[in-house]
Amino acid sequence: MTRAATRPSAAVPRHRSQARAAPRPGRILAVTLLALGGIVMVMPFVYMLATSLKDNSEIFELSLWPRHPTLDNYAQVLGASGFPRWFFNSLLVAAVTTGSVLFFDSLVGYTLAKFRFCGRPAVFVAILSTLMVPTEMLVLPWYTMSKAMGWLDTYWGLLFPGLMTGFGTFLMKQFFESVPDELIEAGRIDGLNEFEIWWRICLPLVGPALSALAIFVFLGNWTAFLWPLIAVADTRMYTLPVGLASFSSELQTEWGLIMAGAAVATMPTLVVFVLLQKYIVRGIMLAGLKV
């Protein structure tokens, strides 16, 4: 028998590959549902952008896109109002609280994970117990302390509730427990002190957790509304959510200005998501495995 006769026909694998490449009904259904869900999620942003380009005469019309798009709302928001100051306040609060959470939560998490001392379980349980208290219940003691200390209408009054979080401490502790103790002992043998071991050896090994925590904290403080609304009365100290809410009154609601301001306020969150989306997914996956 010749070698050509023993060779399998090329038509068989071609048909098999075509059969394998054919989409399955379940996959088609899943893609369709995901596409519909994506459209539902995107439509509020499209409506916000379209409304921000309308003048007052077109705000309440049924048409989605304006007949005569205009940038007057953006010009009024960025020029005539305190929007630039509000944007700076939100950016300052979000950036400072994010840096503080990354530093203190990772340091405390490392201490709880790698050191054995009297009362360590009690300290960890006390930190975890803060997760069970709603923010609304903490507003009153925060306000009482801020008033007694003279922190109202100040940046410190906006900052101090978010400088450290129980969730971040818990998350970092779980990740630091996976760092081999042999690396820490090797660092001590090389003459590094405990802070240098944490900074130079352990932190680089928990980079995904730090990235995910930074994103969650930044977005949470960027969109915070309740505490900034209570802590400040001076319009110059407003954050973006509180400032945008001031465009609404009992007599009139400036929907065009609100939508224009919301569109500009959304840009930093979109930039953060586009640049760091892989860290968001990786951090969520790893957090689920560690917890």
Side-chain angles (χ1 to χ4, degrees):
M1 185 180 292
T2 62
R3 182 178 301 175
T6 59
R7 185 177 302 169
S9 175
V12 175
R14 186 180 299 115
H15 291 306
R16 290 178 180 175
S17 62
Q18 290 176 355
R20 292 175 183 174
R24 293 174 296 179
R27 183 177 180 85
I28 295 176
L29 179 61
V31 172
T32 303
L33 292 177
L34 289 175
L36 292 176
I39 293 174
V40 172
M41 294 292 293
V42 171
M43 281 307 298
F45 295 97
V46 175
Y47 177 79
M48 175 185 67
L49 180 61
T51 305
S52 68
L53 298 175
K54 295 180 179 180
D55 56 23
N56 292 332
S57 62
E58 300 181 34
I59 290 293
F60 297 102
E61 293 184 358
L62 296 179
S63 60
L64 176 62
W65 198 254
R67 297 191 307 271
H68 305 289
T70 178
L71 297 177
D72 291 343
N73 292 324
Y74 289 93
Q76 186 173 353
V77 165
L78 297 177
S81 67
F83 187 89
R85 178 63 181 267
W86 303 339
F87 190 96
F88 170 78
N89 293 340
S90 291
L91 185 62
L92 177 66
V93 171
V96 172
T97 52
T98 300
S100 175
V101 166
L102 292 182
F103 180 82
F104 289 109
D105 286 12
S106 61
L107 190 60
V108 175
Y110 169 75
T111 302
L112 293 174
K114 294 302 180 182
F115 288 88
R116 300 295 182 267
F117 54 89
C118 180
R120 183 176 69 96
V123 172
F124 183 57
V125 170
I127 294 175
L128 285 182
S129 64
T130 61
L131 300 177
M132 306 177 188
V133 182
T135 304
E136 292 78 8
M137 295 184 62
L138 297 174
V139 167
L140 183 58
W142 286 347
Y143 180 82
T144 303
M145 183 173 63
S146 298
K147 185 176 181 180
M149 297 291 184
W151 294 345
L152 299 178
D153 289 328
T154 64
Y155 285 116
W156 179 251
L158 291 171
L159 289 170
F160 82 89
L163 294 179
M164 185 175 177
T165 64
F167 170 76
T169 302
F170 169 71
L171 180 66
M172 297 310 303
K173 176 183 179 297
Q174 300 301 108
F175 275 88
F176 277 122
E177 287 181 346
S178 64
V179 177
D181 294 336
E182 291 77 8
L183 292 177
I184 298 176
E185 294 298 332
R188 291 168 180 165
I189 293 175
D190 290 340
L192 298 179
N193 57 43
E194 297 299 333
F195 185 84
E196 290 175 332
I197 293 174
W198 166 75
W199 180 261
R200 297 174 58 180
I201 297 178
C202 295
L203 276 187
L205 297 178
V206 295
L210 288 173
S211 301
L213 181 61
I215 293 168
F216 296 148
V217 173
F218 182 87
L219 296 182
N221 285 276
W222 180 264
T223 59
F225 177 77
L226 180 60
W227 174 243
L229 177 66
I230 297 174
V232 296
D234 188 355
T235 57
R236 296 175 301 175
M237 297 299 300
Y238 281 176
T239 57
L240 269 180
V242 179
L244 293 177
S246 67
F247 290 149
S248 177
S249 63
E250 295 182 0
L251 300 178
Q252 184 179 6
T253 299
E254 299 289 346
W255 290 113
L257 299 182
I258 292 177
M259 294 300 178
V264 177
T266 306
M267 295 305 171
T269 60
L270 293 178
V271 171
V272 169
F273 178 78
V274 170
L275 296 180
L276 302 177
Q277 58 180 334
K278 61 178 181 180
Y279 297 107
I280 297 176
V281 176
R282 187 187 307 174
I284 294 175
M285 293 174 59
L286 293 178
L289 292 175
K290 296 299 179 183
V291 175

